[in-house]
Amino acid sequence: MPVGERPALGLTTKLLYGVGAMGGSVKGRLSQFLLFFYQVLNGVPPLWISAALSVSLLIDALWDPVVGQLSDNTRTPWGRRHPYIYGAAPPAALCFVLLFMPPHGSPAQMALWMFVFIVGTRLFDSLNEIPASALMPELTQNYDERTTVQSYRYLFGNVIGGLVGTALAFVVFLRATKTEHFGQYNRAGYLPFAITSALIGLAVVYITALATQRFIPYMHQPPRQRASIWTLIKVMASALGNRNFAAIAISGLIFGIAVGIAGGLGVYFSTFVFQLGSPELAVVGFSLVPASLIGVVLAPIIGRVLDKKRACITVFFIAIASTTIPLGAWLLGLMPAGAPWVLPVIVLDNMATTALATTGFIIVSSMIADVVDDNQVRSGRRSEGLLYAAESLLRKVTTSFAALIPGVVLTIVHFPSHVRPGHVDPAILHNLVVLYLPTYTVLTLCSTSMLFLYRINRGQHLRTLETLGEAAAAAETVEEELGMAEPIVTRSA
């Protein structure tokens, strides 16, 4: 047991814990161009790229619960989580850089290169991100403070990370020039962008690890469990048997499909449907910063006023309606490329969607932390890492299959390689949007609807903490009694 009082979880620690989310956001800004980079700029068939992304996500999904189980059962002077956070960051950074250094060879060679290093990037990122996420329920048990802590994660992930990523993309490395309005065609900018992003990711991970290291002696230390496949299956089955966890996990599973589709095709819509160059994309990207900040501020407030479940369902449904506006208007002929109102409409719509979605995602992350306590009461185990990994596994499994869809859709509509904005057959673009928009909308509606099955509210969470407190007090009493009895046995011997 640690000596002395547990340090307060002050503002500085919350901010520095939040900093760790910034690296993924900055790298994610560049990763959005991965399909574009390999297909449009390097001529790799889109189906090959999507297949490689799909398999890499499936491998990553199966890896997540292994990481969760490992970190839950690790015992070192640096705690359960920190050894992985420190150790995984450097190889993750290296793999990300190599991902944007394809060899000058055939499309097959470039596709294989991409596959190897996207797998490496995902595996090492998970080895860092799962333990880092699992720290949050141990940093605080307070129902509302958990939402606040997650708000700081989103502050750095969505707001500051989004600001830095957008600036690096469209102001520094993929910026417009006098001869090239579409900076996303600047092939030479991708590698320095990757190096810079990787270094930022490495730095912020270590900042978070160092800031939370002093809490290690005060974190939960459950008995060591044998890390077997059977144990892993039993714990995951227990988690999925928890109605509250199942509601979030299935919601994430469906949403993972939507994310896989949107992530692959988003850059095609901005570049070819609306013909936005680097200056316009910079405006869109920077506008998301205040929008995300609004979500960060609103999440704790709305979570307290409406309670978590009602709050996130409300904002998600409004966000879904907002998401359909630009492409829906384009199909109706109201948003033709080059029209002066296109950019303002996209900016305002993206700001509204981002503010609402950020609010909802923060609250959902806080809800998962509450499930950790609920599951401990039901199962007798406290497995933060495995619960976060189980939710991530289900989401990534579906995202892995969904990652195939952009390549399949681009192949179905016969989208060409080495093509410029304004030179794509309008029928191809129309078919692309018609295939995408209703699919994405239905999936997100189904995902949000699953949250109606979630049952934990403020009152139930307080009762859960009382039960855990009573169990901890009883266990401490037993330990004290055994400690007092031990010397008597020794003397009689």
Side-chain angles (χ1 to χ4, degrees):
M1 293 294 291
V3 178
E5 186 178 352
R6 177 189 174 100
L9 186 64
L11 177 60
T12 300
T13 304
K14 293 176 184 176
L15 288 170
L16 294 179
Y17 175 65
V19 164
M22 180 177 163
S25 179
V26 174
K27 290 196 292 185
R29 183 70 67 182
L30 176 55
S31 297
Q32 292 175 351
F33 290 94
L34 196 60
L35 181 57
F36 181 90
F37 175 76
Y38 275 93
Q39 191 245 333
V40 175
L41 299 186
N42 288 290
V44 179
L47 193 57
W48 293 8
I49 302 168
S50 289
L53 291 172
S54 175
V55 175
S56 72
L57 275 165
L58 183 59
I59 293 171
D60 186 28
L62 298 174
W63 172 241
D64 279 356
V66 176
V67 174
Q69 178 81 336
L70 285 173
S71 73
D72 281 341
N73 289 284
T74 294
R75 302 293 181 273
T76 74
W78 287 3
R80 296 191 289 168
R81 319 295 182 189
H82 285 71
Y84 300 103
I85 298 173
Y86 284 120
L94 178 61
C95 287
F96 187 74
V97 171
L98 292 173
L99 181 59
F100 290 90
M101 294 179 62
H104 296 290
S106 66
Q109 289 174 316
M110 286 190 282
L112 179 61
W113 179 278
M114 188 204 78
F115 173 72
V116 169
F117 289 107
I118 192 63
V119 168
T121 298
R122 294 192 191 283
L123 294 185
F124 285 114
D125 276 343
S126 291
L127 200 56
N128 160 50
E129 290 170 359
I130 296 295
S133 297
L135 283 176
M136 198 276 278
E138 298 190 87
L139 291 174
T140 177
Q141 289 186 322
N142 185 278
Y143 184 76
D144 293 312
E145 189 175 36
R146 283 176 167 173
T147 306
T148 302
V149 172
Q150 286 300 121
S151 294
Y152 288 117
R153 293 282 286 181
Y154 274 82
L155 171 66
F156 283 95
N158 288 37
V159 181
I160 299 176
L163 176 64
V164 172
T166 298
L168 290 176
F170 304 118
V171 178
V172 181
F173 298 114
L174 305 181
R175 67 183 183 275
T177 65
K178 293 181 180 179
T179 58
E180 178 57 82
H181 182 71
F182 297 91
Q184 52 267 49
Y185 282 84
N186 178 19
R187 186 194 304 266
Y190 282 87
L191 179 57
F193 191 179
I195 294 172
T196 304
S197 301
L199 291 175
I200 291 173
L202 184 63
V204 297
V205 163
Y206 281 147
I207 289 172
T208 287
L210 290 169
T212 54
Q213 187 164 327
R214 65 194 177 108
F215 289 88
I216 291 173
Y218 305 90
M219 291 181 176
H220 191 67
Q221 292 289 339
R224 186 189 298 271
Q225 301 287 331
R226 185 181 175 188
S228 66
I229 295 296
W230 177 240
T231 301
L232 182 64
I233 293 172
K234 285 198 299 183
V235 174
M236 289 194 65
S238 173
L240 290 173
N242 184 310
R243 173 177 181 159
N244 299 301
F245 179 79
I248 294 177
I250 296 173
S251 174
L253 184 150
I254 300 171
F255 186 70
I257 302 175
V259 168
I261 300 171
L265 295 177
V267 67
Y268 286 81
F269 296 136
S270 60
T271 302
F272 299 105
V273 173
F274 297 114
Q275 297 183 24
L276 303 180
S278 294
E280 294 81 19
L281 291 176
V283 171
V284 174
F286 287 131
S287 71
L288 301 185
V289 173
S292 298
L293 186 57
I294 291 171
V296 168
V297 173
L298 282 181
I301 298 172
I302 296 179
R304 281 193 296 269
V305 173
L306 298 180
D307 211 85
K308 295 179 184 179
K309 170 186 169 180
R310 189 184 307 166
C312 71
I313 289 175
T314 301
V315 297
F316 278 150
F317 275 135
I318 300 173
I320 293 168
S322 174
T323 303
T324 64
I325 292 174
L327 288 175
W330 182 84
L331 285 175
L332 296 173
L334 303 176
M335 293 271 287
W341 59 85
V342 167
L343 183 59
V345 169
I346 291 176
V347 166
L348 292 175
D349 181 77
N350 282 5
M351 287 183 69
T353 302
T354 299
L356 292 163
T358 299
T359 301
F361 291 140
I362 290 171
I363 296 172
V364 167
S365 298
S366 179
M367 290 161 65
I368 296 176
D370 297 336
V371 172
V372 169
D373 299 321
D374 181 65
N375 195 62
Q376 184 180 1
V377 170
R378 295 171 184 267
S379 68
R381 292 178 56 104
R382 187 172 182 89
S383 305
E384 296 94 334
L386 196 52
L387 280 173
Y388 275 90
E391 187 272 338
S392 178
L393 179 147
L394 293 173
R395 177 167 37 84
K396 287 181 179 179
V397 165
T398 53
T399 304
S400 71
F401 292 111
L404 278 171
I405 298 176
V408 171
V409 170
L410 292 172
T411 302
I412 290 173
V413 301
H414 304 292
F415 200 94
S417 298
H418 302 295
V419 66
R420 300 283 304 181
H423 293 81
V424 179
D425 185 345
I428 291 177
L429 296 178
H430 180 272
N431 292 337
L432 184 64
V433 175
V434 166
L435 286 172
Y436 166 83
L437 190 58
T439 303
Y440 180 84
T441 303
V442 169
L443 287 171
T444 49
L445 286 172
C446 292
S447 172
T448 301
S449 298
M450 287 305 305
L451 296 176
F452 282 109
L453 299 177
Y454 184 86
R455 288 290 183 266
I456 299 176
N457 55 29
R458 188 187 311 278
Q460 183 176 341
H461 179 69
L462 290 175
R463 290 190 294 272
T464 297
L465 293 183
E466 289 174 1
T467 302
L468 293 176
E470 292 169 359
E476 188 173 345
T477 300
V478 171
E479 288 181 3
E480 290 175 354
E481 291 176 351
L482 290 174
M484 293 174 64
E486 185 176 354
I488 298 174
V489 174
T490 303
R491 283 196 298 270
S492 64

